Amino acid sequence: MAPRAPTIPSAPCSIQKGTPLKHLLGQAAIECLAHNIQCVDAAFPAGQFCTTALTGLEPLAIMQRGRHIAPTLHQFLPGTYAEAVQVLMASLTPEQLDAETMGLAGFFYLPHSFFISEYGQDAQHNAGNDPFEVSMLALHALTTRFTAEFAIRPFLIQQQQRTLEQVNRWVTDPNPHVRRLCSEGARPRLPWGMRLASFVADPTPTLPILERLKEDPSLYVRRSVANHLGDIAKDHPDLVYATCERWLREGASADLQRLIRHAVRYPAKGGNARALKIRSAAKGRVV
């Protein structure tokens, strides 16, 4: 009988009251991960991997579990980082083309995310060879199954210019998950993600990305652009206001008007007069 193709455990579409997210990376997920890897590497020691990954897992929250499992993958996957990540990427389920279709099931791929971010920059894990290009390919593959918004952030911190150049090439990718990563992964204050201190201090390097994605055909992508602007507005409100006002002067579409309203919603709720005026203008009313 032929071995089954890689799969992931089923999960709800949204957070369920009383059910901690950590259960998404429990024993069933770890055993599934091991089985997926065995689908492409029959020599993978699934039993040893599961025993090690489950040790100390119980008290950990969901993100901690992802970080806990990643070094276990590193311990048992073969060879260099490039060889190991190739096996890991070959064990992925099929690419997702529709936005927001996976729900919570995608958290299965948190260990993959942390594996790339932890071992994918340092040549010492890759027989002395620069792993950057391999890691970018892995991030591209990963974000079409779950997200790479957490994994790309260490690259933006440690190799900012190089990573931004790659991100700017991705803004025209046919997959909306990849285009969303360009905005979401570079958000200065992404929830659950490490803060990008340089972009908190100076967000201008990400503005060209937002300009290119502001009229994206996918609401999934445009919502990320709005949230990215909302992050910037916490530290540089006048920059966001000026950007939104310019877009309105240039004849914002209905979709872009909705994006603008979303981007300034928090300062508007706080009573900021300029934000309120922008929201009103983005509704087609003159104040």
Side-chain angles (χ1 to χ4, degrees), residues 18 50 56 69 78 82 129 156 184 200 253 262:
C50 291
I69 297 168
N129 297 310
L156 285 166
E184 197 73 4
V200 171
S253 65
H262 190 77

Side-chain angles (χ1 to χ4, degrees), residues 30 52 278:
I30 288 171
T52 304
I278 289 169

Side-chain angles (χ1 to χ4, degrees), residues 24 67 74 113 123 126 158 203 210 239:
L24 296 170
R67 289 189 177 93
H74 183 253
S113 176
N126 199 41
Q158 297 178 39
L210 306 186
L239 176 60

Side-chain angles (χ1 to χ4, degrees), residues 53-95:
L54 287 167
T55 301
L57 186 74
E58 177 51 35
L60 302 180
I62 183 70
M63 298 296 280
Q64 293 172 319
R65 290 187 175 203
R67 289 189 177 93
H68 170 82
I69 297 168
T72 311
L73 285 168
H74 183 253
Q75 179 180 347
F76 290 104
L77 281 168
T80 65
Y81 166 78
E83 293 167 332
V85 84
Q86 183 176 7
V87 170
L88 202 56
M89 294 303 105
S91 74
L92 299 177
T93 50
E95 176 180 349

Side-chain angles (χ1 to χ4, degrees), residues 23-68:
H23 294 319
L24 296 170
L25 278 178
Q27 181 172 347
I30 288 171
E31 291 176 351
C32 182
L33 173 54
H35 197 152
N36 286 355
I37 294 172
Q38 278 195 321
C39 288
V40 296
D41 179 8
F44 181 73
Q48 296 177 57
F49 167 79
C50 291
T51 298
T52 304
L54 287 167
T55 301
L57 186 74
E58 177 51 35
L60 302 180
I62 183 70
M63 298 296 280
Q64 293 172 319
R65 290 187 175 203
R67 289 189 177 93
H68 170 82

